[in-house]
Amino acid sequence: MGWPVKPVGGPGEAIQEEVEDRGNKSGEESKEPGWASGMRTVQSQESSPEELPMEWSRQWVVVRRVLLAVLLFGLVSGNSVLLVYIFRNCGPGPCYSPACLDLLAHYLASGNTSMAPCTNFFSFTCGKAKGIQPLEDENKSRLRRILESPVSWHLGSGEEKAFQFYNSCMNTHAIEAAGASPLRQVIEELGGWRISGNWTSLDFNRTLRLLMSQYGYFPFFRAYLGPLPVPPYTTAIQIDQPEFDVPLKQEQEQKIYAQIVREYLTYLNRLGTLLGGDPGKVQEHASLSISITSRLFQFLRPLEQRRAQGKLFQMVTIDRLQEMAPAIDWLSCLQAIFAPISLSSSQSLVVHDLEYLRNMSQLVEGLLLKHSDFLQSHMILGLVGTLSPALDSKFQEARRILRQKLRELTERPPMVGFVVKILLCLKGCIPAHPRWMQCVEETGAFFKPTLAALFVHEAFDPNTRSAAMELFTAVKDALISRLQRVSWLNEETRKEAQDRAMELFTAVKDALISRLQRVSWLNEETRKEAQDRVTHLQVKMGPLEWVLKPEPARQQYGDIQLGPSFLQSFLSCARSLRARNVQRFLLPFPHLRWQVSPWEVNAYYSISDDVMVFPAGLFQPPFFHPDYPRAVNFGAAGSIMARELAHLFHQLLLPGGCPACDTHALQGALLCLERHYAAFPLPNGSSFSDSHTLLENAADVGGLAIALKAYTKRLLRYHGETTLPNMNLSPQQLFFRSYAQVMCKGLSSQDSQDAHSPPILRVHGPLSNSPAFSRHFHCPRGALLNPSSHCQVW
């Protein structure tokens, strides 16, 4: 039989032992006097071998309690210090680099932190952004500094001609001194006009050829080179409707129509008077010119109507077009425009509105029979508007007044948004920015290869390029990952896209595929095709090949003759540019066909080459900098990248664009998104077309989600994230703040022709559809930017 074993050291057990021992001896001890009893107790504590362990155990219990308390306190205190140390040294710390401090100043100057982010994040971000210079203007300022720097270039080089042209453009004293003389010389070369009393009746088609080939003015139709919309995307000559100075449609409100006609007539009268015309003749010819423009407008058909009828891309030969629209000598005109391309009557063309060309030809034939001199005046008046940027201040002021008057008219309902795009983008109009910016834009257009190399050398060093590629890789991975979750894609399509996704730019691919995985309306086959397309997409980041090796392109400036007047320099550069554009489409190298300047901000996608370009101008402060917190780069430049990638799948969202998809789920997602945006109020009673902007809204929402996913994955892989000091924003909050910063534009720039929603909706729409936004900004349920439901297209 074993002996029972008692645990040692417990206070309850020690007390119990003491009680039991005293109970056993109570009979003896009670017979002694009290002091003896007390003495015995003392003596027993000191000398009794039975009682010594019991008393020592009681003291040890107390000591152990104290030691345990001290140890526990030390552990808690030590862990607290350790956690503080870890958070201070491993958590996001403030960035004090010069780039970050400049960005901080920019954000503080543009935002209005008194606004509640959960109810008006647009004002929270952009409330004071009215005076902030946009990135595009900042890039132009950089070009200005380059063009105005004192540098000596090799005689006759592209750099020298670019600098000479810019200086000639800035020499307003010489332009004013020349007055209208250079323009009168141009009119004489075209045979003159009856307004000035001297007119040599030239052949109509000869004048038309000169206008289009030598002066870049297309009064009755536009002709240009462009890729076909279907594989193999070969280049073809395309004929489209012309561009007009003003809209003169008869169905406009009669009062507004009459006011537009009156203002445009005043403008044309002023042009004729500045060119020395007789006021009576000027009035007569200007009135008929307006009548011609109004008739041509009546022949136009909306783009949607032509697309619905299958008549947006009609293939016809030059011979066939000659039969349908005989007033134009098509072969000689097109040969002059696209020289040195050799054309024949059997050459195929792409015509975008054949019915318009028929009606236009009949109108021209009638005018040639009765009013050929008026037709000549109509063409010359239009040319003067095209050449306005190269003329003196009197012509520019006339253009500015016309633009201002027409803008005032368009601010009156119901004309709001109807002609804003045309009015804000009048061909040859004088921009509302300083002279240096106009000269930078023109120099950049005519000497793009030269300025591209100078800009890239100045603004896109290897570190920036490397950081930009890392950012795109992350975004593309996120997009491919998004595709995995799109439910309306079939399994075969999904698998193929995944396999290809791993071949190119790992980080960006994951985010995109992941996003597509969550789209419920994609079937597996379409999902796979979408992922496959993303994987094999070619990407050009920053400078293109022709920028890095610009010498062959610079040698193409030999045909430019500058002077003696700025107008002559302008025309010489314009002719050289048109010739280079034609030559570029004859070359077998796709990168030579790009039209995006490195200093531009917008990305560009080529259908024919399946290449997407993110120009160097995009990767500039305040959208991107290698020293910025990753949250800023992913929120601003990263969201732009993701949105452009989402544009690759616009076709799937169109009616009939994805026959194998779950169309019911897709339409439900699109309807959800349309209602989601319609629920947001707009200031000042402004409005927009939900259906017109639906595709862009889907790209905005998808782009934000993809960029956020890419940023989140990047945080898991890399440490050392930073924030901006004194802004009290977490990295995730800074991500959303940077996204909204991209949209800081005034509502006045919105018009009905713009495919995008107003800037305030481009902020609130995507953010309110992101549960992560409301979580990181602690938005209460039911707040404007934390609605009860969300939509998922991508």
Side-chain angles (χ1 to χ4, degrees):
M1 181 177 179
W3 294 96
V5 179
K6 289 185 178 181
V8 179
E13 292 141 351
I15 295 174
Q16 182 67 26
E17 289 176 354
E18 181 180 0
V19 171
E20 291 174 353
D21 288 340
R22 287 183 178 179
N24 292 334
K25 299 178 180 179
S26 59
E28 292 183 16
E29 294 172 351
S30 61
K31 298 178 181 179
E32 299 178 355
W35 62 269
S37 176
M39 180 62 72
R40 177 172 176 79
T41 303
V42 174
Q43 290 174 348
S44 65
Q45 290 175 352
E46 293 178 352
S47 59
S48 174
E50 293 86 1
E51 293 180 352
L52 181 61
M54 181 190 69
E55 297 301 329
W56 181 85
S57 177
R58 287 200 300 269
Q59 294 179 0
W60 174 241
V61 168
V62 176
V63 171
R64 285 193 64 181
R65 286 179 178 178
V66 174
L67 290 175
L68 286 173
V70 172
L71 178 60
L72 180 61
F73 177 78
L75 288 174
V76 172
S77 302
N79 286 336
S80 300
V81 173
L82 180 60
L83 289 174
V84 171
Y85 176 81
I86 291 174
F87 279 115
R88 285 184 177 179
N89 292 274
C90 299
C95 172
Y96 290 104
S97 70
C100 287
L101 294 180
D102 288 343
L103 180 66
L104 174 63
H106 176 87
Y107 278 10
L108 292 177
S110 61
N112 183 2
T113 55
S114 64
M115 302 299 297
C118 294
T119 57
N120 194 340
F121 201 75
F122 181 81
S123 295
F124 179 82
T125 303
C126 311
K128 301 176 183 177
K130 191 173 183 179
I132 301 299
Q133 190 178 35
L135 178 56
E136 293 179 1
D137 291 352
E138 179 56 36
N139 288 340
K140 291 172 185 176
S141 297
R142 190 187 294 263
L143 285 176
R144 178 192 185 186
R145 294 192 292 270
I146 293 173
L147 289 168
E148 293 181 355
S149 60
V151 180
S152 298
W153 300 104
H154 179 68
L155 185 64
S157 66
E159 290 87 354
E160 185 195 43
K161 288 187 176 181
F163 279 65
Q164 287 180 350
F165 178 84
Y166 175 79
N167 290 329
S168 178
C169 180
M170 291 295 292
N171 189 357
T172 55
H173 178 75
I175 295 173
E176 295 298 322
S181 297
L183 184 56
R184 292 194 188 98
Q185 182 180 346
V186 169
I187 295 175
E188 290 175 4
E189 293 173 356
L190 295 170
W193 57 348
R194 196 175 293 281
I195 285 179
S196 61
N198 300 316
W199 178 52
T200 302
S201 181
L202 299 179
D203 177 75
F204 165 76
N205 277 286
R206 178 179 179 275
T207 304
L208 186 61
R209 286 196 301 271
L210 290 173
L211 285 171
M212 294 188 297
S213 63
Q214 299 299 307
Y215 301 102
Y217 173 56
F218 294 81
F220 302 108
F221 61 88
R222 277 193 306 129
Y224 60 93
L225 288 170
L228 294 175
V230 294
Y233 306 112
T234 54
T235 301
I237 295 176
Q238 308 200 28
I239 311 296
D240 205 348
Q241 300 169 349
E243 296 176 344
F244 297 97
D245 275 352
V246 292
L248 295 173
K249 292 186 177 181
Q250 295 288 354
E251 61 267 24
Q252 293 172 355
E253 182 182 337
Q254 187 61 34
K255 182 178 179 181
I256 299 297
Y257 177 84
Q259 291 175 318
I260 291 176
V261 170
R262 189 180 304 113
E263 295 299 340
Y264 192 50
L265 181 60
T266 300
Y267 167 70
L268 295 182
N269 284 332
R270 188 171 185 183
L271 292 186
T273 303
L274 289 173
L275 289 167
D278 175 79
K281 290 182 179 179
V282 169
Q283 177 80 14
E284 183 183 13
H285 285 243
S287 297
L288 190 54
S289 177
I290 292 177
S291 176
I292 294 172
T293 300
S294 181
R295 291 285 303 279
L296 292 174
F297 256 108
Q298 294 176 12
F299 301 150
L300 302 180
R301 291 187 300 162
L303 180 68
E304 294 77 10
Q305 178 183 344
R306 286 178 282 151
R307 179 183 288 115
Q309 296 175 350
K311 296 181 178 180
L312 186 57
F313 295 94
Q314 295 179 271
M315 299 294 297
V316 298
T317 63
I318 293 180
D319 262 349
R320 179 61 176 157
L321 186 58
Q322 190 65 55
E323 295 175 4
M324 297 179 176
I328 309 298
D329 186 347
W330 291 99
L331 181 58
S332 66
C333 284
L334 296 177
Q335 185 68 74
I337 296 170
F338 299 111
I341 296 177
S342 179
L343 302 177
S344 66
S345 58
S346 61
Q347 175 74 42
S348 293
L349 311 171
V350 178
V351 177
H352 295 277
D353 193 345
L354 191 55
E355 191 63 29
Y356 165 82
L357 296 180
R358 285 197 187 100
N359 293 326
M360 177 273 296
S361 177
Q362 294 176 4
L363 175 63
V364 170
E365 285 180 322
L367 292 170
L368 286 173
L369 291 175
K370 299 180 180 179
H371 303 290
S372 58
D373 55 341
F374 289 99
L375 193 61
Q376 174 82 354
S377 297
H378 170 74
M379 292 189 291
I380 290 179
L381 286 171
L383 174 65
V384 174
T386 299
L387 300 181
S388 290
L391 303 177
D392 66 44
S393 60
K394 298 183 183 65
F395 290 94
Q396 296 189 24
E397 179 66 10
R399 195 74 170 180
R400 187 196 65 79
I401 293 175
L402 172 67
R403 184 181 61 182
Q404 179 63 33
K405 294 290 186 181
L406 293 178
R407 180 176 292 139
E408 291 173 359
L409 291 174
T410 60
E411 292 177 355
R412 304 178 185 179
M415 289 292 295
V416 173
F418 179 71
V419 295
V420 176
K421 184 175 183 181
I422 298 178
L423 299 177
L424 294 179
C425 303
L426 292 175
K427 187 176 181 181
C429 69
I430 306 305
H433 48 228
R435 177 74 183 183
W436 69 263
M437 191 174 290
Q438 178 186 341
C439 293
V440 163
E441 292 173 353
E442 293 170 3
T443 307
F446 295 143
F447 298 91
K448 183 184 298 183
T450 293
L451 288 195
L454 295 174
F455 179 85
V456 168
H457 177 75
E458 172 86 11
F460 202 71
D461 56 39
N463 289 336
T464 303
R465 179 183 177 87
S466 176
M469 286 303 299
E470 177 187 350
L471 175 63
F472 180 77
T473 299
V475 173
K476 193 169 185 181
D477 282 346
L479 176 57
I480 297 179
S481 177
R482 193 73 179 179
L483 283 168
Q484 277 291 338
R485 307 177 69 177
V486 179
S487 61
W488 44 269
L489 285 172
N490 62 20
E491 186 59 38
E492 181 181 356
T493 308
R494 188 199 317 272
K495 183 178 183 303
E496 181 180 339
Q498 284 179 299
D499 293 341
R500 295 187 178 183
M502 298 308 298
E503 300 173 3
L504 181 63
F505 305 113
T506 303
V508 182
K509 292 185 275 189
D510 286 344
L512 182 53
I513 291 183
S514 175
R515 191 70 185 175
L516 289 174
Q517 272 291 345
R518 301 176 62 184
V519 178
S520 59
W521 48 270
L522 278 175
N523 68 339
E524 293 305 316
E525 180 180 358
T526 310
R527 188 194 320 275
K528 181 174 177 292
E529 292 174 356
Q531 292 174 323
D532 182 53
R533 184 176 186 184
V534 175
T535 302
H536 288 78
L537 175 70
Q538 299 181 62
V539 175
K540 302 294 182 181
M541 195 73 61
L544 305 181
E545 287 85 347
W546 60 268
V547 176
L548 300 176
K549 300 178 180 179
E551 285 303 324
R554 295 177 184 174
Q555 296 172 2
Q556 299 179 20
Y557 299 137
D559 58 342
I560 293 180
Q561 302 297 323
L562 299 178
S565 69
F566 177 63
L567 177 59
Q568 290 171 314
S569 298
F570 181 91
L571 290 173
S572 179
C573 290
R575 292 162 187 161
S576 175
L577 176 61
R578 284 193 296 274
R580 293 199 303 274
N581 287 339
V582 173
Q583 289 284 358
R584 186 157 44 242
F585 277 93
L586 296 177
L587 296 174
F589 305 107
H591 64 264
L592 293 177
R593 299 210 295 263
W594 284 106
Q595 300 298 314
V596 173
S597 301
W599 53 86
E600 295 180 15
V601 176
N602 295 326
Y604 182 89
Y605 174 68
S606 169
I607 297 178
S608 58
D609 302 321
D610 198 23
V611 177
M612 181 172 287
V613 169
F614 295 101
L618 172 63
F619 304 106
Q620 305 298 318
F623 290 177
F624 182 88
H625 193 281
D627 292 344
Y628 281 173
R630 288 190 180 94
V632 174
N633 289 338
F634 275 86
S639 65
I640 295 174
M641 289 179 171
R643 185 170 66 243
E644 293 303 323
L645 288 174
H647 280 314
L648 295 176
F649 309 108
H650 266 185
Q651 186 66 31
L652 297 176
L653 305 182
L654 296 174
C658 186
C661 294
D662 185 345
T663 55
H664 179 75
L666 172 59
Q667 292 304 316
L670 293 176
L671 181 61
C672 175
L673 192 64
E674 189 170 351
R675 291 174 175 172
H676 182 83
Y677 272 71
F680 284 94
L682 289 175
N684 302 323
S686 56
S687 61
F688 77 106
S689 172
D690 296 357
S691 57
H692 186 62
T693 62
L694 184 59
L695 294 180
E696 291 295 339
N697 293 343
D700 285 345
V701 171
L704 175 65
I706 293 164
L708 178 60
K709 181 176 181 62
Y711 174 61
T712 302
K713 292 190 68 174
R714 189 61 47 169
L715 286 183
L716 295 176
R717 296 181 183 179
Y718 296 92
H719 301 288
E721 175 64 306
T722 58
T723 58
L724 294 181
N726 303 321
M727 285 205 71
N728 196 27
L729 293 178
S730 69
Q732 289 78 12
Q733 290 174 327
L734 187 57
F735 169 89
F736 293 113
R737 172 73 165 78
S738 301
Y739 163 78
Q741 190 72 35
V742 176
M743 307 299 177
C744 287
K745 296 180 180 178
L747 287 173
S748 60
S749 63
Q750 183 69 19
D751 64 84
S752 63
Q753 302 299 319
D754 191 353
H756 298 90
S757 292
I760 189 171
L761 288 188
R762 297 192 70 185
V763 173
H764 289 171
L767 293 183
S768 63
N769 201 61
S770 171
F773 171 82
S774 57
R775 183 170 65 252
H776 287 292
F777 277 95
H778 312 291
C779 297
R781 194 70 169 176
L784 185 66
L785 296 188
N786 187 17
S788 58
S789 61
H790 301 89
C791 309
Q792 183 178 320
V793 178
W794 293 116

